[in-house]
Structures are given as structure tokens and as C-alpha cells.
Amino acid sequence: MLTIPCTGTPYKIGHTHGTLAASQIRSSITFYTSFFQETASLSYPSASALAAEFLPFLTQTHPDLLEEMRGVADGAGVPFEHILALNVRTEISYGMATTQGLIGKGEGKGTTDGCTAVSWHDQRTGLLGQNWDWREGQRGNLVRLRIRRGGGASPRHDVDGTNGIDTTNGAGTKAEKTQKADIDTVTEAGIIGKIGLNSAGIGVCLNAIRAPGVAYDRLPVHLALRVALDRAGTVGDVVAMLEQQGVASSAHILVAGPEGAVGLETSSEDVVRVNEGRVGGARVVEHTNHYVERHEVSDGGGFLEDSSARLERIAELVGEKREVGVEDMKGWLRDEKGLPTSICRQKTGDDSTMTLFSIVMDLKGKKGYVKMGRPTEGGEEVELNACE
């Protein structure tokens, strides 16, 4: 997997990303050109035009992210709008497709994204992990993005993550100032935020959920992940920020730190917490690809028949333990009960979706352990370290 070390201004960070991953970014655009057409009956130019609806909100609240995406585009030699569309691909392929009534009519078949996420916290450990399942065609476009806030400045910048701009959506008060953290994340080339951890020991995981609606005055899912990783605060800080700004479409974002975790089920209408449960003396969150809390919109019971089975299985595995370490969580993510639609997912003849990488984060140690491909197989192993 390509590692992209970045530092400097938002534009410079993006330009480095775009330059070093230019071929993978173009391949990502090719992949999503087909995917947007399949799931939302949209050409890539049409999808890019819809993505531009987010520009007023992002210009007001997160101009730094727009500058980074402009740097990505210039570095890769592609239009800025194409990079913006990659970064709102969840809103295009799930929220828009469902809102337009395309799901269930043949378009959008095979849009499986069967991720399983879990956190475990006790007095000794703070762990977060998931399998990221997606179509095999994106496997070669995964990159490791390492962002350091150096370049002669303090490694942590005294900024609010939004350049001091009011991000309260009309509440009338500015966001509380915090510090930007260093980041180590695995993402799809061209997308500036995904799954990983930061130098404050905050980690994020993502489960796709398909429910109708897109709100253009809230954070797109992948940019919400990035803003969460940017914050050098606590889990409570991150959760409060995401609840305040809102998330544009449906997903589950699992936010964890050294001492605890909170799941956030999002939709275009609301953000609902999934609080930790208890296993002995430990606190845990488990999630797959359907809502487990009540929402203003419905996910129709989930778009993957195996989502409930995987949630039951990860809960069963977690419930068998009283002490858990990194290797235990890796073992959960290798589980193949219910194959091919198991926690460790295997592609089939008519569906290329499979586990493309597995990650376990030790949030007390501020390290992440990534296994590329299905974790039962001999893929590349990469160690993330947000503090080096």
C-alpha cells in the first residue's frame, strides 16, 4: 500500500497526496464513474455537479478542507469537482440513490459494503477495530495518508478546525478552539478522510448504512471522519462537534479514545448515539450496517441481509472474553462463520465485495495494525503510528 507523508498548509498536504497518488486517484474516479451510474443513475459530471451543492456550507465552515481538496486535484491533474465528488461519494451513492427511489429497481444492485466494527475498553486496554468490506476493484486504490502538522510550526496548531468560522448552523456562537492533531489513516486515493487514528489517541471507524436523504448544510460522511481525526481533544469533544454540525447522510461512525467510545448513527435528519454496553467489567460497542436506534428516517431494516447476523456474531465473540488484547480483536475480525457473508467477507461469483483491509487500533499506545486483504490470508501488514 502506498504511504503518503504530508505536512504543511492544507493546500500543500493535498498537493502531496495528489502528486504521489495520481494514478490511484484516476483509478478511483474510474471506479466511481461506474458506481455512481449503477447506484444513482448519474454520470460522473452529473454527480460532480450535485457534489457542488456542498460548497456553500464547506466554504463557510471548513475552507481548509476545500483547500486541501484543491491541492489534491492540482497534484493529480484532475478537476477539483472530481475530487469533491469522491469525498461525498457516500451521499451520492447511498443518500441520493435511495432518495430518488432507485434502490430496489435493479439500479444499485450489489452495493454491498459489509463492514463490521467493534470497540473494547477496560482498565487496561482501549481498542478499536473493523473490517472494511468493499468491491475488489478499489483494492489497488487504497493508500495510507500520514499528516504531520510540522513545517516549522508547533506539531499541534491552536486552531478550531474551522479557521474560527461559525459552525453552529445558526446557533450564533463560534466553535470552541481546539488543536489539530497529526493523523495516520487508511483511505481511498483522493478521499481526505476515512478510517484511522490521531496523535491524541482518537480513532474512527465507519459502517455504511443506506437510508434516504442528503442534507447539504451538514458534513459529508468522509469529511466528518476527517474533521473528527483533526481534533486533538477527547471523544466527548469529537462527539459534541459532530452532533453540533450534523452529518449529511446515513452512516455509523464509531469514535473511540483511550478511555471509551461512542457510536454515532447518522442520517440527513439526525445524529443518534449508540452508547457502550457491558461485558463483565469492559465497555463495548459493536456495529454493522443497519440502524439499531430510532431515527427520523428509516433504513428499511438494513440493506444487507447479513448485517444482523454479523452483529449477533461479533457480540457472541466479544461476550466470550473478559480480557482482550490486540491479538484477540484481530481474531474476531478473522471470523468466517456464515461465509461468504461473514465478518471476514469473501467475494462470490456475482458479488466482488470482500474484506479489503482489517484494522485494530491500540488507542492507549496510539498505534494501528492493518492487514491488507482478508485477514485470514497473507496480505501486507502495515503499522500506523500517529506520533512518529
Side-chain angles (χ1 to χ4, degrees):
M1 177 170 58
L2 175 67
T3 295
I4 306 171
C6 302
T7 191
T9 65
Y11 181 86
K12 184 178 178 182
I13 288 169
H15 197 273
T16 301
H17 177 176
T19 300
L20 296 182
S23 63
Q24 291 91 339
I25 289 169
R26 291 177 180 274
S27 183
S28 281
I29 291 170
T30 298
F31 175 88
Y32 282 107
T33 296
S34 298
F35 192 72
F36 292 159
Q37 185 65 51
E38 176 186 327
T39 57
S41 294
L42 291 172
S43 67
Y44 205 93
S46 296
S48 298
L50 284 172
E53 296 292 324
F54 283 102
L55 285 174
F57 171 76
L58 293 174
T59 298
Q60 181 184 26
T61 60
H62 294 282
D64 52 333
L65 300 185
L66 291 178
E67 280 302 298
E68 186 171 333
M69 285 187 272
R70 289 190 177 96
V72 174
D74 290 348
V78 301
F80 162 75
E81 293 80 7
H82 285 18
I83 298 302
L84 181 61
L86 284 179
N87 282 272
V88 301
R89 61 92 155 170
T90 297
E91 286 66 31
I92 294 168
S93 58
Y94 288 144
M96 293 178 187
T98 310
T99 301
Q100 294 172 14
L102 297 176
I103 303 302
K105 295 184 178 180
E107 305 94 326
K109 62 184 178 181
T111 57
T112 51
D113 188 355
C115 307
T116 303
V118 60
S119 65
W120 174 286
H121 287 82
D122 58 27
Q123 292 184 344
R124 186 176 59 90
T125 57
L127 300 175
L128 174 67
Q130 81 163 91
N131 281 350
W132 188 67
D133 304 346
W134 197 222
R135 295 187 180 186
E136 189 178 21
Q138 258 313 67
R139 184 173 187 168
N141 299 327
L142 292 172
V143 298
R144 177 190 182 190
L145 188 63
R146 299 187 69 198
I147 298 175
R148 300 295 180 263
R149 312 292 180 176
S154 168
R156 297 187 300 172
H157 295 264
D158 185 16
V159 297
D160 61 5
T162 59
N163 291 352
I165 295 173
D166 185 355
T167 62
T168 60
N169 297 330
T173 58
K174 288 186 178 181
E176 181 182 355
K177 280 197 173 185
T178 185
Q179 295 172 318
K180 280 195 173 182
D182 293 342
I183 295 171
D184 209 345
T185 181
V186 179
T187 186
E188 300 167 82
I191 297 179
I192 64 173
K194 207 170 180 72
I195 298 159
L197 74 164
N198 71 17
S199 53
I202 299 296
V204 293
C205 288
L206 173 66
N207 301 96
I209 295 175
R210 191 163 62 203
V214 176
Y216 293 101
D217 59 350
R218 301 184 181 197
L219 279 165
V221 167
H222 283 83
L223 298 185
L225 291 166
R226 171 55 186 273
V227 171
L229 287 173
D230 274 340
R231 287 183 79 88
T234 65
V235 170
D237 295 333
V238 173
V239 168
M241 178 270 298
L242 293 177
E243 289 177 332
Q244 179 190 68
Q245 297 192 35
V247 178
S249 65
S250 56
H252 171 256
I253 297 173
L254 182 48
V255 183
E259 305 303 329
V262 177
L264 295 176
E265 289 185 345
T266 71
S267 77
S268 60
E269 301 292 331
D270 56 19
V271 177
V272 180
R273 294 191 186 193
V274 180
N275 290 313
E276 293 176 306
R278 288 278 182 177
V279 174
R283 290 164 287 115
V284 302
V285 178
E286 305 121 347
H287 214 285
T288 51
N289 303 100
H290 62 281
Y291 287 143
V292 299
E293 304 292 344
R294 185 182 298 274
H295 288 265
E296 295 295 323
V297 300
S298 172
D299 65 350
F303 70 104
L304 291 175
E305 293 181 0
D306 55 85
S307 182
S308 293
R310 282 184 288 109
L311 185 57
E312 292 174 5
R313 179 57 178 163
I314 191 66
E316 179 184 357
L317 292 169
V318 171
E320 294 172 352
K321 294 289 187 177
R322 291 299 177 266
E323 292 186 359
V324 169
V326 168
E327 293 304 318
D328 297 296
M329 188 169 282
K330 287 181 179 180
W332 297 342
L333 298 177
R334 289 193 296 266
D335 188 77
E336 294 185 312
K337 184 177 181 178
L339 200 68
T341 57
S342 46
I343 292 172
C344 181
R345 198 177 193 96
Q346 185 178 63
K347 66 180 180 179
T348 62
D350 59 353
D351 185 358
S352 68
T353 301
M354 60 180 288
T355 297
L356 295 188
F357 73 86
S358 179
I359 181 170
V360 173
M361 291 172 260
D362 173 5
L363 299 174
K364 290 183 183 288
K366 300 179 183 178
K367 291 185 178 182
Y369 304 93
V370 180
K371 182 71 173 288
M372 301 306 295
R374 301 182 70 241
T376 55
E377 300 174 2
E380 177 189 9
E381 296 185 19
V382 179
E383 182 176 312
L384 307 186
N385 189 329
C387 295
E388 283 186 351

